[in-house]
Amino acid sequence: MLAQQKQDITALFQAALAPILAGTDLAATLVPNVVLERPRDPSHGDVACNIAMQLAKQLKMNPRELATKLVEALLADPARNGLIDAADIAGPGFINLRVSAAAKQAVVKTVLAQGDKFGAADTGAGKKVIIEFVSANPTGPLHVGHGRQAALGDALSSLFVSQGYDVTREFYYNDAGVQIQTLANSVQARLRGHKPGDAAWPESAYNGDYIADIAADFLAKKTVSASDGSPATASGDIEDIESIRAFAVTYLRNEQDIDLQAFGVKFDNYYLESSLYSDGKVDAAVDMLNKSGKTYEEDGALWLRTEDYGDDKNRVMRKKDGTYTYFVPDVAYHIVKFQRGFQQAINVQGSDHHGTIARVRAGLQAVNVGIPQGFPDYVLHKMVTVMKGGEEVKISKRAGSYVTVRDLIEWSGGGDITKGRDAVRFFLISRKADTEFVFDVDVALKTSDENPVYYVQYAHARICRMLEQWTGDEAALANVDLSPLTAPTEATLLATLAAYPEALARAQAELGPHQIAFYLRDLAANLHSFYFAERVLVDDEALKAARIALMVATRQVLRNGLALIGVSAPNKM
């Protein structure tokens, strides 16, 4: 059902309860919580409500007796006309309702009227949310794990936007620390003529071909720019390690920008880890933690009492050598997020970050500045295994040790970047984040039902082809009579369309963008079933018009759902 229809049914129950509550001690204090659910067995009806079982004890009535009174009052209410056809009682007091055909068919006109806004809500109006994802170290190309983060994070951001939230997509650059120095050393080794496998090649160096590319451009004294920040011009001096470092970081940030552009992902803001140090945010966070009384000195190190907040043991903040452990800047960064006015923060990261959750949250509670418990939320994803030609692909020449996002897009598109992006985006959100995923490039290239993105996109293209044959005026469908839509496959399509807004709301609340991929596959399956069971361009003008309206509405919802996850909706395939 549509949200308005649920509200109307809730109002019917509340009106039916009013005279029963009147004159009781509960009349002034009890606010009935009317919960509407779909019966497990469709033969029982369209909507089930257990309100009679909830309130029977408080009203000192038998549940079935109370259910009987509620049903009688509901059926006698003129407001139920056109919405509820019948109501009955099952078991100890469940109330089952049968929604009218007209109410079920109403979704078509709602979709036609709302267009690309169908499914949107304003539940998040006025609430600021920051969603951080990808956040790759600028030490190499983006790998398939980053790709899964990009697909999940971007779809999750769109889900929050659809529900009215003010969303900021943020990329956090870890541009400080040992890995950046390793990058600089790797490029310098290449500049000195060494390569992987040579005796003089550093054991910890990065081995991909991209290191040689950076070295060549550095010698050529080129200038590179990333999506934000100042351009970096190479000095060409192989002993100038600072110039090498700055050039290499900017070079790889630009490479990552190109990968993200190919993937269709844009960020609202880039935040540099180094700025937390240069702006004094890390020192300020440590100072707050010291003043909170939750730190102590032991063995020359500074510790945080994270056990007080549910961690399995206390954690070192500052090591003996005076450097901070990696979770300290994370705490500082999330204090900054809170100070920037975000009521909710969500981090999409690999499952290897699981151990940091308790530490970061403990630090945020210890500073005692009003940050809510459970801040930030985490969506942790497991690894992606890439299969190609029936074999697992473990490395690429470009990266040296892993498959890159660009590799995956190029392979999955067969030379078509849009097709490759669509496949990678759809596949990487098609499973719950905390499950491992096998990405089969051969399946992504198939033009059959076995390929889930093709299956969904073909449903859209099939409708477009059908409407081309019709050649009518879609604007005239606004007033179409939908009563001829009585076939079982039509009823299933109508119910699936009506479930879309609720599917978005649930996926947003549960931080589960995979649910949209599930929904789209169900909608496509129902469309294909309808297509093989019924004809649209029939001689009966009334039936034809109703079915065309149903097809236009289905096409619109397919478009809406695909757009939300960043996948195209082609008219022809």
Side-chain angles (χ1 to χ4, degrees):
M1 290 185 302
L2 297 170
Q4 185 58 54
Q5 293 171 338
K6 283 193 170 185
Q7 293 173 18
D8 292 342
I9 293 175
T10 298
L12 285 171
F13 273 108
Q14 290 170 338
L17 277 166
I20 299 173
L21 292 173
T24 70
D25 296 337
L26 300 172
T29 59
L30 181 63
V31 180
N33 180 26
V34 180
V35 178
L36 304 178
E37 299 178 321
R38 184 176 299 176
R40 293 180 182 177
D41 185 347
S43 67
H44 292 170
D46 303 302
V47 182
C49 184
N50 68 348
I51 191 69
M53 299 170 66
Q54 284 184 42
L55 300 181
K57 186 175 181 180
Q58 292 170 276
L59 292 170
K60 300 177 182 178
M61 296 178 66
N62 177 279
R64 282 191 68 91
E65 177 190 358
L66 177 55
T68 300
K69 288 181 177 292
L70 290 173
V71 166
E72 289 174 351
L74 187 148
L75 293 178
D77 191 334
R80 67 95 175 178
N81 293 333
L83 180 59
I84 301 298
D85 274 351
D88 56 52
I89 304 164
F94 287 104
I95 298 174
N96 293 326
L97 307 178
R98 297 188 184 276
V99 177
S100 70
K104 294 176 181 178
Q105 294 156 358
V107 65
V108 172
K109 291 187 178 179
T110 300
V111 175
L112 297 182
Q114 296 181 2
D116 59 6
K117 301 299 182 185
F118 180 70
D122 60 1
T123 52
K127 299 176 183 177
K128 291 182 64 177
V129 176
I130 183 169
I131 302 180
E132 179 207 333
F133 55 103
V134 182
S135 294
N137 294 334
T139 54
L142 298 180
H143 56 61
V144 291
H146 296 134
R148 193 172 192 185
Q149 284 187 40
L152 290 167
D154 200 44
L156 188 60
S157 298
S158 296
L159 270 172
F160 271 79
V161 170
S162 79
Q163 301 306 295
Y165 290 82
D166 179 1
V167 177
T168 294
R169 293 165 164 89
E170 186 151 287
F171 191 121
Y172 177 68
Y173 272 116
N174 298 91
D175 64 334
V178 175
Q179 291 177 313
I180 299 301
Q181 190 58 47
T182 300
L183 171 66
N185 292 341
S186 303
V187 175
Q188 189 176 54
R190 276 285 190 177
L191 288 165
R192 288 173 173 164
H194 306 304
K195 61 182 184 298
D198 292 350
W201 185 252
E203 185 177 345
S204 61
Y206 297 113
N207 298 324
D209 283 358
Y210 68 94
I211 298 295
D213 295 338
I214 296 171
D217 284 358
F218 183 83
L219 280 177
K221 299 183 180 180
K222 290 188 177 181
T223 298
V224 290
S225 299
S227 57
D228 76 313
S230 302
T233 300
S235 68
D237 180 358
I238 65 174
E239 301 304 324
D240 188 351
I241 193 68
E242 281 306 307
S243 179
I244 293 171
R245 182 194 62 76
F247 182 81
V249 167
T250 305
Y251 181 101
L252 287 170
R253 287 183 63 188
N254 179 60
E255 285 291 300
Q256 292 179 357
D257 288 342
I258 295 171
D259 289 345
L260 292 168
Q261 184 178 5
F263 207 39
V265 174
K266 295 180 180 179
F267 287 89
D268 301 303
N269 193 49
Y270 292 85
Y271 200 100
L272 302 182
E273 180 188 4
S274 58
S275 71
L276 293 170
Y277 293 93
S278 61
D279 294 345
K281 301 297 185 183
V282 172
D283 289 340
V286 173
D287 185 55
M288 282 190 281
L289 289 168
N290 284 332
K291 290 178 178 177
S292 73
K294 294 294 183 179
T295 64
Y296 63 94
E297 296 270 358
E298 185 177 289
D299 298 330
L302 180 66
W303 296 70
L304 179 65
R305 300 183 190 278
T306 54
E307 287 183 353
D308 292 355
Y309 302 95
D311 200 3
D312 58 347
K313 62 181 180 180
N314 293 332
R315 303 290 175 173
V316 173
M317 289 174 53
R318 187 178 62 232
K319 295 179 285 188
K320 294 179 182 180
D321 62 7
T323 60
Y324 292 117
T325 54
Y326 63 91
F327 88 91
V328 176
D330 282 352
V331 171
Y333 176 40
H334 286 88
I335 293 172
V336 171
K337 286 183 180 180
F338 182 72
Q339 292 171 338
R340 287 160 64 191
F342 294 108
Q343 291 101 323
Q344 186 175 7
I346 303 168
N347 297 342
V348 183
Q349 297 174 323
S351 56
D352 56 329
H353 286 76
H354 185 273
T356 69
I357 295 176
R359 274 161 254 184
V360 171
R361 287 178 175 170
L364 295 175
Q365 291 305 299
V367 295
N368 196 27
V369 293
I371 298 176
Q373 290 188 4
F375 184 101
D377 292 305
Y378 287 86
V379 175
L380 301 182
H381 71 85
K382 290 192 176 179
M383 66 178 292
V384 178
T385 300
V386 178
M387 301 292 292
K388 188 170 183 277
E391 297 181 354
E392 181 180 349
V393 183
K394 294 185 178 181
I395 64 172
S396 77
K397 186 177 181 182
R398 179 182 292 138
S401 59
Y402 53 82
V403 177
T404 69
V405 171
R406 213 179 304 177
D407 289 331
L408 207 54
I409 293 173
E410 291 172 357
W411 295 341
S412 302
D416 184 332
I417 293 298
T418 299
K419 181 181 176 182
R421 179 178 65 240
D422 288 346
V424 175
R425 271 187 173 260
F426 195 98
F427 276 47
L428 292 181
I429 71 153
S430 64
R431 296 287 186 277
K432 195 174 179 181
D434 62 2
T435 60
E436 293 187 0
F437 181 69
V438 176
F439 191 112
D440 193 326
V441 173
D442 298 334
V443 173
L445 288 169
K446 288 185 177 180
T447 55
S448 69
D449 293 355
E450 190 177 347
N451 179 350
V453 67
Y454 177 86
Y455 185 69
V456 174
Q457 289 178 321
Y458 188 64
H460 181 270
R462 172 166 271 168
I463 295 172
C464 291
R465 184 178 61 188
M466 194 184 304
L467 294 175
E468 283 180 3
Q469 296 171 356
W470 170 56
T471 68
D473 181 11
E474 291 185 18
L477 299 174
N479 299 313
V480 71
D481 176 14
L482 298 169
S483 61
L485 299 177
T486 57
T489 53
E490 292 166 342
T492 300
L493 256 184
L494 290 167
T496 308
L497 294 177
Y500 181 67
E502 189 174 290
L504 293 193
R506 184 171 57 251
Q508 176 267 316
E510 296 176 2
L511 308 184
H514 65 281
Q515 296 179 31
I516 304 307
F518 290 178
Y519 172 86
L520 287 169
R521 291 182 69 173
D522 287 344
L523 180 57
N526 294 335
L527 180 280
H528 293 310
S529 295
F530 165 83
Y531 178 84
F532 288 114
E534 310 291 344
R535 287 182 58 230
V536 174
L537 303 180
V538 295
D539 293 334
D540 184 327
E541 290 297 328
L543 178 58
K544 178 169 67 174
R547 284 181 173 171
I548 288 171
L550 176 60
M551 292 298 96
V552 173
T554 304
R555 180 188 64 180
Q556 183 66 63
V557 177
L558 283 167
R559 281 181 182 172
N560 291 1
L562 286 168
L564 189 144
I565 60 174
V567 175
S568 68
N571 294 339
K572 295 180 180 180
M573 295 186 71

